[in-house]
Amino acid sequence: MPNFTDVAQFILVGLTSRQELRVLFFVVFLVVYTITLLGNIGMIILIGISPQLQSPMYFFLSHLSFVDVFFSSNVTPKMLENLLSETKTISYVGCLVQCYFFIALVHVEVYILAVMAFDRYMAICNPLIYGSKMSRTVCVRLISVPYIYGFSVSLMCTLWTYGLYFCGNFEINHFYCADPPLIKIACGGVHIKEYTMIVIAGINLTCSLSVFLISYSLIVVAVLRMRSADGRKKAFSTCGSHLTAVSLFYGTLIFMYLRRPTEESVEQGKMVAVFYTTVIPMLNPMIYSLRNKDVKEAFTKAMTKTCLGL
């Protein structure tokens, strides 16, 4: 029988043990985190104060930015602390809390992206009834589902993480508490956690991707039927930013969670995790602003109004 040990804290191995690289990483990720906060909070404020951005698409985009702020903030501050610390510890309770919010926010973001795909389908394929069908009440209900579902599923997943037992190895080969490296060092309760993680990740990615693929298949058919070249160009331009964001986010999650945790997959996953926990939340506001005429115009008007007010 394994000799199970009570856990008080874990040691986060982090990205590297080399001192010169740790200082470099600290500076880089501090800059990235600062840009993430400024970009996403700025996007939320811009959407809130700009009359031309008061549409369902930007309502959902503001929630995507809101989730990105907390998604990055759940991981990055502890990572920055450990890059300059010699102990690199996280308490057992702190680890479970980090797992809980990480899983919850991933699910929320995945389904917000699916809701945004459905919104684009309604806007392009049903423009005459779009205003009535996508009312404020409907939008609030649609955005409530990802939050309720994400935090509920995360509670269940975290309880399974709580069911893992450890036998003295408390070094997590990661820079935050994630399920794959925790499973790798556990010596009990592993099988149910491993298979439920893969099954739940598979179900949620399949469901959300199905909404996305069906919506965009219908959008492509509708756009190809348009006689106006300008109409086709405008339709595709409104979808381009969303397609870019979805491709980045889904690609990294599939690589991370739809594989059994091995030493190699955990090490590779650590590098991929840097991308979707720090880089993607920073890129999202850039993707949606640089490729969106309405956002650029709203930003210009807001800056002009601010400068004139000063």
Side-chain angles (χ1 to χ4, degrees), residues 269-289:
K270 186 165 61 171
M271 296 299 104
V272 174
V274 172
F275 191 70
Y276 70 77
T277 57
T278 60
V279 179
I280 290 179
M282 178 190 69
L283 290 178
N284 277 342
M286 297 181 186
I287 291 170
Y288 284 100
S289 60

Side-chain angles (χ1 to χ4, degrees), residues 3-12 89-96 161-172 177 182 185-188:
N3 184 18
F4 298 136
T5 309
D6 290 333
V7 184
Q9 62 184 18
F10 292 104
I11 298 172
L12 293 168
T89 59
I90 184 170
S91 68
Y92 179 71
V93 173
C95 184
L96 289 180
T161 304
Y162 180 72
L164 292 174
Y165 296 96
F166 303 90
C167 301
N169 180 13
F170 303 140
E171 284 195 352
I172 300 174
C177 283
L182 279 171
I185 65 173
C187 56

Side-chain angles (χ1 to χ4, degrees), residues 120-132:
R120 291 299 81 211
Y121 156 73
M122 291 296 294
I124 294 171
C125 298
N126 301 285
L128 298 179
I129 61 172
Y130 176 68
S132 59

Side-chain angles (χ1 to χ4, degrees), residues 33-272:
Y33 183 54
T34 303
I35 295 173
T36 299
L37 293 182
L38 293 175
N40 284 287
I41 294 173
M43 181 67 76
I44 294 169
I45 294 172
L46 183 64
I47 292 171
I49 65 174
S50 301
Q52 65 266 47
L53 300 183
Q54 301 306 305
S55 67
M57 180 174 74
Y58 298 109
F59 172 75
F60 297 133
L61 178 57
S62 67
H63 280 272
L64 181 66
S65 293
F66 174 79
V67 171
D68 276 339
V69 168
F70 285 95
F71 185 58
S72 183
S73 297
N74 182 50
V75 172
T76 310
K78 188 63 179 178
M79 177 181 68
L80 292 173
E81 177 192 332
N82 287 342
L83 282 170
L84 297 183
S85 173
E86 294 299 327
T87 55
K88 301 182 183 180
T89 59
I90 184 170
S91 68
Y92 179 71
V93 173
C95 184
L96 289 180
V97 169
Q98 194 174 61
C99 280
Y100 173 72
F101 281 105
F102 181 85
I103 296 169
L105 293 169
V106 165
H107 282 90
V108 173
E109 181 146 351
V110 160
Y111 282 102
I112 286 178
L113 290 170
V115 168
M116 291 175 74
F118 175 73
D119 171 68
R120 291 299 81 211
Y121 156 73
M122 291 296 294
I124 294 171
C125 298
N126 301 285
L128 298 179
I129 61 172
Y130 176 68
S132 59
K133 292 295 183 181
M134 296 296 289
S135 64
R136 187 73 175 184
T137 303
V138 172
C139 290
V140 170
R141 290 174 180 173
L142 282 173
I143 204 64
S144 298
V145 173
Y147 286 103
I148 295 170
Y149 177 77
F151 281 92
S152 300
V153 168
S154 181
L155 179 61
M156 182 172 58
C157 293
T158 305
L159 288 174
W160 280 321
T161 304
Y162 180 72
L164 292 174
Y165 296 96
F166 303 90
C167 301
N169 180 13
F170 303 140
E171 284 195 352
I172 300 174
N173 186 19
H174 220 292
F175 58 91
Y176 68 91
C177 283
D179 282 342
L182 279 171
I183 292 171
K184 193 71 183 67
I185 65 173
C187 56
V190 170
H191 296 296
I192 184 171
K193 176 62 185 177
E194 182 178 319
Y195 289 116
T196 52
M197 181 190 74
I198 294 173
V199 169
I200 289 176
I203 290 173
N204 287 297
L205 286 172
T206 300
C207 291
S208 56
L209 269 176
S210 296
V211 173
F212 172 80
L213 292 173
I214 291 171
S215 297
Y216 271 94
S217 296
L218 295 172
I219 287 171
V220 169
V221 172
V223 170
L224 291 177
R225 288 177 178 174
M226 292 180 180
R227 296 181 179 180
S228 169
D230 290 337
R232 288 196 295 269
K233 183 179 179 181
K234 184 178 179 181
F236 279 127
S237 67
T238 60
C239 298
S241 302
H242 185 240
L243 285 167
T244 304
V246 167
S247 301
L248 289 172
F249 195 73
Y250 277 77
T252 52
L253 282 181
I254 290 171
F255 184 85
M256 178 76 177
Y257 282 98
L258 291 185
R259 302 184 301 165
R260 293 191 64 180
T262 62
E263 196 66 43
E264 182 182 3
S265 69
V266 167
E267 193 64 35
Q268 292 172 349
K270 186 165 61 171
M271 296 299 104
V272 174

